[in-house]
Amino acid sequence: MKRFTLSFLMILLSSIFIYGQTILYVDRDGSADLDFTDCSMYFMDALDAGGYTYDYHEVTDLTMDGPDLATMQMYEVIIWSTGEGWQNSQTMTDNDETNLAAFLDGGGMLFFSGQDFLWDRWSSAGVFAAGDFPYDYFGLREVSQDVWFIDATGSMDGVAGSIADGMSFDLQDIFTTTKDGLYIDEMVDHVGVELFNVTDPAPEGICAVQYESRAFKTVFTTADFGAIIDPMDQADLMAAVMSYFGVAGAAGPCYDFDDLTAGGLVAEQLGGYW
């Protein structure tokens, strides 16, 4: 009976948090072929700080596709970083878009840090419609591009009720080597949850959203993750995103059920996530 109870509890716990190598970090920052700023350290340091297990896939030629669909489907979560990419489908090829859409339709989760993704793929937008990737998978309806320009420092806050509730972030220009400054887009209209509110420079406005459907969850920001100055803030934000996706790192919950009082309530004794 005890063995059955422990097995049942472990199945229950695994349904709450996903463990193991479920994350694929896709690096399309152009540092290998275009001498753009290398952003990979920011993502990997944040993942390492949380004890997450992940695989790394660098696209060394931005004219080429990222991982194929079969590779994507080996993972629960994809982190997609576009860095300074801003034109000629540097941020995502047509095949990438098709594959990511299929990955999400199949129940995947996506953290997308794309400063100029909208400019690259939809330079005239504006307004999105059904069938457009930002409409279908980020919940965007209307954006205003390049509302904010930061060539030194700026700041943004996590929006109340979002996964970044209570967080504040100082930003810095990390793209000074090739494409000076951070260009940040405003989400004017959307059906997601507002995530980041730019507070400096003026005017205030939303630059990131979290969005979910019955099949998938996404987090999309036009304020590049690597531009957050404090590594601890990056680690905390990464942990919040992964928690939203249901992924726990090495610092996640681990319980010894043998220490519980027989006949007691599991949730009351363990607390926390329970």
Side-chain angles (χ1 to χ4, degrees):
M1 179 63 71
K2 182 178 179 181
R3 182 177 299 173
F4 170 78
T5 302
L6 290 176
S7 298
F8 172 78
L9 288 171
M10 291 307 295
I11 292 170
L12 175 61
L13 182 59
S14 67
S15 70
I16 299 172
F17 280 89
I18 303 165
Y19 289 86
Q21 202 154 352
T22 64
I23 302 169
L24 177 64
Y25 167 40
V26 178
D27 177 1
R28 286 192 68 99
D29 64 19
S31 60
D33 58 328
L34 298 175
D35 197 31
F36 287 172
T37 298
D38 186 355
C39 302
S40 62
M41 68 191 79
Y42 304 111
F43 291 87
M44 291 193 287
D45 285 352
L47 287 165
D48 291 341
Y52 298 100
T53 302
Y54 60 93
D55 282 338
Y56 174 69
H57 181 107
E58 183 177 20
V59 182
T60 57
D61 179 350
L62 294 192
T63 66
M64 304 298 290
D65 299 332
D68 60 24
L69 178 58
T71 300
M72 292 183 184
Q73 290 173 332
M74 295 169 60
Y75 301 88
E76 300 286 345
V77 175
I78 291 177
I79 300 171
W80 195 280
S81 167
T82 67
E84 293 183 64
W86 66 282
Q87 64 176 343
N88 301 324
S89 295
Q90 292 172 342
T91 61
M92 176 192 292
T93 66
D94 290 344
N95 287 336
D96 288 338
E97 180 181 326
T98 298
N99 291 335
L100 276 172
F103 167 76
L104 291 169
D105 289 338
M109 291 164 281
L110 174 66
F111 175 25
F112 198 108
S113 176
Q115 169 173 283
D116 270 331
F117 166 65
L118 299 177
W119 177 265
D120 180 22
R121 303 285 293 175
W122 290 272
S123 58
S124 61
V127 176
F128 297 106
D132 293 334
F133 191 94
Y135 183 103
D136 294 341
Y137 299 102
F138 296 148
L140 300 184
R141 300 298 181 259
E142 182 180 356
V143 300
S144 184
Q145 300 198 33
D146 294 346
V147 170
W148 299 282
F149 172 73
I150 297 175
D151 60 355
T153 60
S155 60
M156 64 186 184
D157 293 334
V159 177
S162 75
I163 60 174
D165 190 345
M167 299 181 184
S168 295
F169 308 98
D170 292 323
L171 305 173
Q172 63 182 340
D173 173 21
I174 59 172
F175 297 143
T176 54
T177 57
T178 303
K179 183 174 179 288
D180 291 351
L182 307 176
Y183 292 84
I184 303 176
D185 303 335
E186 181 179 10
M187 281 64 163
V188 177
D189 186 26
H190 61 86
V191 295
V193 175
E194 295 177 348
L195 182 56
F196 301 147
N197 180 55
V198 176
T199 55
D200 180 35
E204 291 193 18
I206 302 302
C207 69
V209 293
Q210 59 187 79
Y211 179 63
E212 62 182 283
S213 74
R214 293 181 179 179
F216 63 81
K217 292 182 178 180
T218 60
V219 171
F220 173 57
T221 176
T222 64
D224 194 276
F225 178 85
I228 297 173
I229 294 176
D230 190 338
M232 290 298 296
D233 288 342
Q234 291 176 330
D236 288 345
L237 176 58
M238 183 65 74
V241 173
M242 292 302 117
S243 179
Y244 174 58
F245 291 158
V247 177
C254 183
Y255 305 106
D256 184 357
F257 296 108
D258 289 333
D259 290 340
L260 300 184
T261 301
L265 298 176
V266 172
E268 285 187 357
Q269 294 184 68
L270 294 178
Y273 293 106
W274 289 85

